[in-house]
Amino acid sequence: MSPELGLGTYRVRAAGEAARTALAAGAKWIDTAPNYGHGRAHHDLAPILAEHPTAKVTTKTGFNPDGHHSLAPADVRAQTEESLAALGRADIVFVHNPERSAHDRQQLHHNLRAAFAVLEEFAQASRIGGYGVATWAGFTNQAFTVAELIALAAEAAESANHRLAGVQLPVSLVMAEPITQALDGGGPLVHARDAGIMTFASAPLHGGELPGLMTPELVNLIQPGSTSHNAAFQLIGACPALDVVLTSTSTLQHWEDARDALAQPIPGARLRTVLDVLSAE
């Protein structure tokens, strides 16, 4: 089964209007963060989420609107309280780019465990649905593995019944390592899915740059007759162990194009061929 499309609000100027468009078109997931939209994303999304009580929302903790990054427990607690007050709910609170918090791997894991402990309290009190990690480079830089995140969550919860619920990472033709690993039966997507943890792909168009980088020959290799935009989503739709693909779009046409392309993934054998061709270049 191909992944479903969700709205990512990182590069969206009017998050509220984008969310209204996406939710009206059938979106189930809205992803945001306190620092998105120059600190206004939560405020803009709040009334839209109130109108759609069944929509799922994920937010983050780590970056403040002024750009400062902190995983100190007091900051995680305060920011999560602020997010809940603004949004009204959070199905998952991601620890945002935790690799930014320390260069030393042991210190990074200490910071993650401490942040998880705070979020465990929120989850156990049923104030959030669960928590996770949203990372740009943590898996590729081997700052942590899914198994290590699970172990840290269990330590934070002092129980195997932790509330680690999701991982979010970039997945695209530019950031293709997770796709290759998943095709080979490993990597963070497969390991998370096997552990019952939801998987979210961010930046499927690599910040909007990917379609412009794709040659007609590459598009034709992925899906003859497709557009570069649609081909990018048809490719990622074939990635194993992926639950939600987050795209930043404000227009209904772009949303529907991405949704329809994602629902028509290319065959797995062709996906491997495309990745082999790219890796050989």
Side-chain angles (χ1 to χ4, degrees), residues 1 19 23 45-46 62 74 84 102 106 109 111 113 128 135 146 166 185 188 195 219-220 231 236 251 254:
M1 181 178 294
L23 290 168
L45 287 168
L84 289 173
Q106 185 175 355
H109 288 201
N111 296 346
R113 186 188 301 109
I128 65 175
T135 179
V146 169
V219 173
N220 190 61
I236 200 173
T251 71
H254 283 169

Coordinates of all heavy atoms in Angstrom, one line a residue, residues 1 19 23 45-46 62 74 84 102 106 109 111 113 128 135 146 166 185 188 195 219-220 231 236 251 254:
M1 N 0.8 -1.2 0.0 CA 0.0 0.0 0.0 C 0.9 1.2 0.0 O 1.8 1.3 0.8 CB -0.9 0.0 1.2 CG -1.8 1.2 1.3 SD -2.9 1.1 2.7 CE -3.9 -0.3 2.3
A19 N -3.7 24.6 5.1 CA -4.4 23.5 5.8 C -5.8 23.3 5.5 O -6.3 22.2 5.3 CB -4.2 23.7 7.3
L23 N -7.1 19.8 4.0 CA -8.1 19.1 4.8 C -9.4 18.9 4.0 O -10.0 17.8 4.0 CB -8.4 19.7 6.1 CG -7.2 19.7 7.1 CD1 -7.4 20.6 8.3 CD2 -7.0 18.2 7.6
L45 N -2.8 28.0 12.2 CA -3.4 26.6 12.1 C -4.6 26.4 13.1 O -5.5 25.6 12.8 CB -2.4 25.5 12.3 CG -1.4 25.4 11.1 CD1 -0.3 24.4 11.6 CD2 -2.1 24.8 9.9
A46 N -4.5 27.1 14.2 CA -5.4 26.8 15.3 C -6.9 26.8 14.9 O -7.6 25.8 15.2 CB -5.2 27.7 16.5
G62 N 12.2 21.9 20.2 CA 13.6 22.1 19.9 C 14.0 23.4 19.5 O 14.7 24.2 20.1
A74 N 13.3 21.7 30.8 CA 12.4 22.8 31.1 C 11.9 23.5 29.8 O 10.8 23.9 29.7 CB 13.2 23.8 32.0
L84 N 0.4 23.0 22.9 CA -0.9 22.5 23.2 C -1.9 23.7 23.4 O -3.0 23.6 23.0 CB -0.8 21.6 24.4 CG -0.1 20.3 24.2 CD1 0.0 19.6 25.6 CD2 -0.9 19.4 23.2
A102 N 24.1 18.4 20.3 CA 25.4 18.0 20.8 C 26.2 17.3 19.7 O 25.7 16.7 18.8 CB 25.3 17.0 22.0
Q106 N 27.4 10.5 23.0 CA 26.9 10.1 24.3 C 26.0 11.3 24.9 O 25.0 11.0 25.5 CB 28.0 9.8 25.2 CG 27.6 9.3 26.6 CD 28.8 8.9 27.4 OE1 30.0 8.9 27.0 NE2 28.6 8.6 28.7
H109 N 22.6 11.4 23.1 CA 21.7 10.4 23.6 C 21.2 10.8 25.0 O 20.0 10.6 25.3 CB 22.3 9.1 23.7 CG 22.5 8.5 22.3 ND1 22.7 7.1 22.1 CD2 22.6 9.1 21.1 CE1 22.8 6.9 20.8 NE2 22.8 8.1 20.1
N111 N 20.7 13.9 26.0 CA 19.7 14.9 25.7 C 18.4 14.4 25.2 O 17.3 14.8 25.6 CB 20.3 15.9 24.7 CG 21.5 16.7 25.2 OD1 21.8 16.7 26.4 ND2 22.2 17.3 24.3
R113 N 17.2 11.3 25.8 CA 16.5 10.6 26.9 C 15.8 11.6 27.8 O 14.7 11.3 28.2 CB 17.6 9.8 27.7 CG 16.9 8.9 28.8 CD 18.0 8.3 29.6 NE 18.9 7.5 28.9 CZ 20.2 7.8 28.7 NH1 20.7 9.0 29.1 NH2 21.0 7.0 28.0
I128 N -0.8 14.4 25.0 CA -0.3 14.2 23.6 C -0.5 12.7 23.3 O -0.5 11.9 24.2 CB 1.1 14.7 23.4 CG1 2.1 13.8 24.2 CG2 1.3 16.1 23.7 CD1 3.6 14.1 23.9
T135 N 14.2 14.4 12.1 CA 15.6 14.7 11.9 C 15.9 15.0 10.5 O 15.2 14.5 9.6 CB 16.4 13.5 12.4 OG1 17.8 13.8 12.2 CG2 16.1 12.2 11.7
V146 N 17.2 3.6 15.0 CA 15.8 3.4 15.5 C 15.9 2.6 16.8 O 15.2 2.9 17.8 CB 14.9 2.8 14.4 CG1 13.6 2.3 15.1 CG2 14.6 3.8 13.3
G166 N 6.7 8.0 16.4 CA 6.9 8.3 15.0 C 8.4 8.8 14.8 O 9.1 9.2 15.7
G185 N 15.5 -4.1 2.8 CA 14.9 -4.6 4.0 C 15.5 -4.1 5.3 O 15.4 -4.7 6.3
P188 N 16.2 3.0 8.6 CA 15.2 3.6 9.6 C 13.8 3.3 9.3 O 13.0 3.1 10.2 CB 15.6 5.0 9.7 CG 16.3 5.3 8.4 CD 17.0 4.1 8.0
A195 N 8.8 -2.0 14.3 CA 8.6 -1.7 15.7 C 7.2 -1.1 16.0 O 7.0 -0.7 17.2 CB 9.7 -0.8 16.3
V219 N 12.9 11.6 -15.8 CA 11.4 11.5 -15.7 C 10.9 10.4 -16.5 O 10.0 9.6 -16.0 CB 10.8 12.9 -16.1 CG1 9.3 12.7 -16.1 CG2 11.2 14.0 -15.2
N220 N 11.4 10.2 -17.7 CA 10.9 9.1 -18.6 C 11.3 7.7 -18.0 O 10.5 6.8 -18.2 CB 11.5 9.3 -20.0 CG 10.8 8.3 -21.0 OD1 9.6 8.4 -21.2 ND2 11.6 7.5 -21.6
A231 N 6.4 12.6 -11.2 CA 7.3 11.5 -11.2 C 8.0 11.4 -9.8 O 8.3 10.2 -9.3 CB 8.4 11.6 -12.3
I236 N 8.5 8.1 -4.9 CA 8.5 8.0 -3.4 C 7.4 7.1 -2.9 O 7.4 6.4 -1.9 CB 8.5 9.3 -2.7 CG1 9.0 9.2 -1.3 CG2 7.2 10.0 -2.7 CD1 9.2 10.6 -0.6
T251 N -1.7 25.2 -3.0 CA -2.7 25.2 -4.0 C -3.4 23.8 -4.1 O -2.7 22.8 -4.0 CB -2.1 25.5 -5.4 OG1 -1.3 24.5 -5.9 CG2 -1.3 26.8 -5.3
H254 N -1.8 21.5 -7.0 CA -0.6 20.8 -6.6 C -0.8 19.7 -5.6 O -0.2 18.7 -5.7 CB 0.4 21.8 -6.0 CG 1.1 22.7 -7.0 ND1 1.9 23.8 -6.7 CD2 1.1 22.6 -8.4 CE1 2.3 24.3 -7.8 NE2 1.9 23.6 -8.8

